[in-house]
Amino acid sequence: MTQEVRFITKNFGKYDPMSIDSYLSIGGFEALKRAVEMDGEDIASVIADAKVKGRGGAAYDMGRKWSQARAVKGDHKLNICNADEGEPCTFKDRELIKNDPFNLIEGMIIGGYTVKAQDGYIYMREEYRHLRPLLLNAIKQCEERGFLGHNILGKGFDYHIHLYSGAGAYVCGEGTALIRSIEGKAGRPRMKPPFIKVSGAFALPTCVNNVESFSIVPHLLMDDEHEYTSYGSGESIGTKLVSVAGNVRNPGVFEVPFGTPVRDIIYDLAKGINGGYGLRLIQFGGASGKITDKRILDVPYTYDDLKAAGVTVGSGAILVIDERTSVLDFLRMTQDFFSHESCGQCTPCREGNRHAKIILKKIADGVATEDDIKTLKKIGSIMTLASLCGLGETAQCATLSAMEIFPETFAVGGAK
């Protein structure tokens, strides 16, 4: 039977999240003390050598990102923690904030030191407002103990953290929309270039990572036994937090080694499908992810293996849907979500989502034509290629993948 591992989550339940003394008692801030004795480029190399990819969904090489951000010239630089966890079925970052807030803060401070930032911003979604007191308390106690503020640990390093809350817009999970929201503007994406690392929040050089990405850093710097790299293989080294939900008996967040079969995650850790129903589909990476069927069950959970099977790791979400929900009903629900969450700024996403919703209803009503099906596919392709941000680029992933996996759903004259 597959067992969870404890690397990123090793502090869970071991200290009082409201007490910095409790965190210090389990070795808190030892990683920061080690970090400030290192060159920032060496810290980036530790992350790169562990092949850590960004855990927000894009899977960009994190060590490389920090090295690039460090190289950007600027008298005042920023780093941002993206805690706008808006991807449906994704709730791993919530658990990290709730159970290990001081570790997140420590990871951000190390990140600030590495990229030469003077200020850090945590952008947290409105739905997590109950966690604001926890983070504000952690920030305050870190300031009182000298881990935040001026001349941290006597190394001439100044760094401050600010907590911002969004209004719950899904699109603000995208980097430039998040930045505009922090600036007090409408949370809508902007064109790139200039890229965020050169001109981000307040037109300052900015490096953005998500909660899980920052949270792994202190553990990596203290990993003298190389436990992390003992998990996984190839380009998928280490462990990953996955959030499993839907029609499973034991929904939750699990830390698994890369290479764990999908079947083991769903049937061992999440205890299988409730009610004894059969499996209809699985969606990976949240609402923006592709869907597949039971053929995925014996595929190892790695970046390369999932990609070869037609899906991606994405945000780490695994949504399990049983036979009580039809594929078409699922797609219409997903389309309703994107139609509501599109900011409306760019034509491909605004109009594409609207027309996709209309065509899916025609399929459900049994009045769709062959031209409608071709148009739906064309809309998805155009949105993927021409939308301004990741919302529009991925909004039709579920539908386009369903066309391949469940072609009977799009049969003219009636959907299944």
Side-chain angles (χ1 to χ4, degrees):
M1 177 176 287
T2 296
Q3 299 291 325
E4 288 186 76
V5 296
R6 294 291 183 185
F7 186 83
I8 305 172
T9 58
K10 65 175 60 176
N11 292 340
F12 282 23
K14 291 186 178 179
Y15 77 96
D16 177 1
M18 292 295 289
S19 169
I20 193 170
D21 287 324
S22 183
Y23 182 61
L24 290 169
S25 72
I26 64 164
F29 292 105
E30 290 301 317
L32 176 61
K33 293 174 183 177
R34 179 174 291 190
V36 296
E37 299 296 334
M38 300 170 65
D39 182 78
E41 195 61 40
D42 291 335
I43 297 173
S45 294
V46 169
I47 299 169
D49 290 345
K51 298 184 178 180
V52 178
K53 294 177 172 59
R55 303 303 174 86
Y60 189 78
D61 186 301
M62 187 174 160
R64 183 181 181 187
K65 174 186 273 192
W66 281 21
S67 181
Q68 291 171 336
R70 176 179 172 82
V72 174
K73 304 296 183 182
D75 294 330
H76 194 163
K77 298 167 72 172
L78 314 174
N79 65 350
I80 294 176
C81 175
N82 184 346
D84 189 73
E85 192 174 40
E87 196 69 73
C89 189
T90 308
F91 43 94
K92 59 181 178 62
D93 290 348
R94 180 189 67 193
E95 296 305 298
L96 287 166
I97 296 170
K98 181 173 70 174
N99 291 287
D100 204 2
F102 285 102
N103 180 73
L104 170 60
I105 299 298
E106 185 175 6
M108 286 190 66
I109 300 170
I110 295 170
Y113 174 81
T114 302
V115 305
K116 302 179 181 179
Q118 291 77 39
D119 285 282
Y121 293 82
I122 301 174
Y123 185 88
M124 190 164 65
R125 68 184 295 98
E126 163 62 18
E127 289 81 354
Y128 288 177
R129 60 186 176 275
H130 63 289
L131 297 175
R132 278 183 62 85
L134 190 67
L135 283 176
L136 288 172
N137 172 74
I139 292 169
K140 182 175 181 292
Q141 291 191 30
C142 287
E143 291 171 342
E144 292 172 346
R145 294 301 185 91
F147 295 113
L148 284 173
H150 298 287
N151 193 26
I152 296 171
L153 295 177
K155 297 298 180 179
F157 169 49
D158 299 341
Y159 185 75
H160 304 268
I161 289 181
H162 316 272
L163 177 61
Y164 277 69
S165 286
Y170 172 80
V171 73
C172 284
E174 192 275 337
T176 61
L178 180 155
I179 284 169
R180 283 189 164 183
S181 180
I182 287 178
E183 294 171 336
K185 302 171 184 175
R188 289 179 170 175
R190 67 159 172 82
M191 294 288 290
K192 293 179 286 187
F195 294 102
I196 291 172
K197 64 188 174 190
V198 175
S199 180
F202 311 107
L204 298 173
T206 304
C207 183
V208 181
N209 292 102
N210 88 318
V211 172
E212 186 182 351
S213 299
F214 278 120
S215 295
I216 197 174
V217 172
H219 300 304
L220 277 178
L221 289 187
M222 300 302 293
D223 187 23
D224 296 329
E225 302 300 320
H226 305 291
E227 176 190 355
Y228 183 80
T229 53
S230 71
Y231 301 114
S233 62
E235 291 303 309
S236 299
I237 294 294
T239 70
K240 179 76 181 74
L241 291 186
V242 297
S243 46
V244 187
N247 302 129
V248 290
R249 292 188 177 94
N250 183 40
V253 174
F254 310 100
E255 183 176 359
V256 300
F258 278 113
T260 302
V262 174
R263 182 187 300 276
D264 292 0
I265 297 173
I266 294 174
Y267 287 93
D268 286 350
L269 299 178
K271 307 302 181 187
I273 298 175
N274 52 27
Y277 293 99
L279 174 66
R280 176 77 72 192
L281 62 89
I282 307 172
Q283 185 176 41
F284 288 79
S288 62
K290 297 179 180 180
I291 66 174
T292 188
D293 58 10
K294 62 183 179 181
R295 71 189 72 181
I296 199 77
L297 289 175
D298 294 313
V299 172
Y301 192 88
T302 71
Y303 292 106
D304 291 340
D305 288 307
L306 290 181
K307 183 178 179 180
V311 296
T312 60
V313 169
S315 63
I318 300 177
L319 178 62
V320 180
I321 303 297
D322 69 33
E323 60 191 357
R324 290 173 293 177
T325 300
S326 72
V327 173
L328 184 58
D329 283 345
F330 177 79
L331 295 177
R332 294 185 70 192
M333 176 194 67
T334 302
Q335 185 57 60
D336 284 344
F337 172 79
F338 282 111
S339 296
H340 178 269
E341 293 294 340
S342 172
C343 76
Q345 181 176 207
C346 74
T347 302
C349 181
R350 181 184 65 247
E351 297 302 315
N353 276 311
R354 185 169 71 88
H355 286 282
K357 184 176 180 178
I358 291 170
I359 294 174
L360 287 173
K361 185 177 186 304
K362 290 178 72 174
I363 296 173
D365 292 341
V367 297
T369 65
E370 291 285 357
D371 284 343
D372 287 325
I373 306 302
K374 292 178 182 177
T375 299
L376 182 61
K377 188 171 185 178
K378 185 176 181 180
I379 287 171
S381 298
I382 291 173
M383 287 178 64
T384 300
L385 294 171
S387 294
L388 181 59
C389 82
L391 188 155
E393 291 171 353
T394 60
Q396 300 306 314
C397 278
T399 296
L400 290 174
S401 56
M403 286 181 162
E404 298 180 8
I405 304 297
F406 304 101
E408 67 279 4
T409 298
F410 303 92
V412 173
K416 298 181 181 179

